[in-house]
Amino acid sequence: LFNIRSFVSSRCLTVDQFKPILALVDEEHEKEELAEFAYSYLDDRENFSELYTAIQYSRTLTTTKDRYKNIPFPKAEIVNNY
C-alpha cells in the first residue's frame, strides 16, 4: 500500500487512470482508504464518485460471496418407493 501511495502522490492521475491501480488492492477497507488518500492527487475530482461506486459494488459482491460460501448444500437423497 505504501508503494501505491508513493506512486499516486508523485503523479496527477485521472479517475480512469486510478481505477486499475485501485483494483490491485484486495481488502475493501484499504481500497476506501487509498481512494480517500488519492483524492487530492486526482486531476478530475468531479468524477471521484465513480471510485466509490466501484468499491461499493465490489463490497456487495464480496459480501454476497461470503454469505453463501458457508451454507451447506443438502445432499441428494435417494428415495426408494419400491
Side-chain angles (χ1 to χ4, degrees):
L1 202 55
F2 175 79
N3 291 337
I4 294 174
R5 284 181 179 212
S6 296
F7 178 82
V8 169
S9 65
S10 66
R11 287 159 180 77
C12 190
L13 302 171
T14 65
V15 168
D16 284 338
Q17 291 171 322
F18 182 66
K19 282 180 186 179
I21 296 169
L22 191 61
L24 297 173
V25 179
D26 293 328
E27 298 294 325
E28 293 303 313
H29 68 278
E30 290 178 350
K31 284 184 180 184
E32 291 175 4
E33 185 181 313
L34 184 59
E36 290 174 10
F37 171 81
Y39 179 80
S40 59
Y41 301 101
L42 295 175
D43 189 42
D44 58 344
R45 293 182 191 132
E46 66 275 7
N47 297 325
F48 187 74
S49 62
E50 292 177 24
L51 295 176
Y52 277 123
T53 303
I55 291 169
Q56 289 172 355
Y57 172 76
S58 181
R59 179 186 301 140
T60 301
L61 185 61
T62 301
T63 302
T64 302
K65 285 181 182 176
D66 287 345
R67 183 180 304 139
Y68 291 106
K69 77 177 180 184
N70 293 322
I71 296 177
F73 289 96
K75 294 182 179 180
E77 232 178 87
I78 300 175
V79 179
N80 190 349
N81 291 330
Y82 299 107

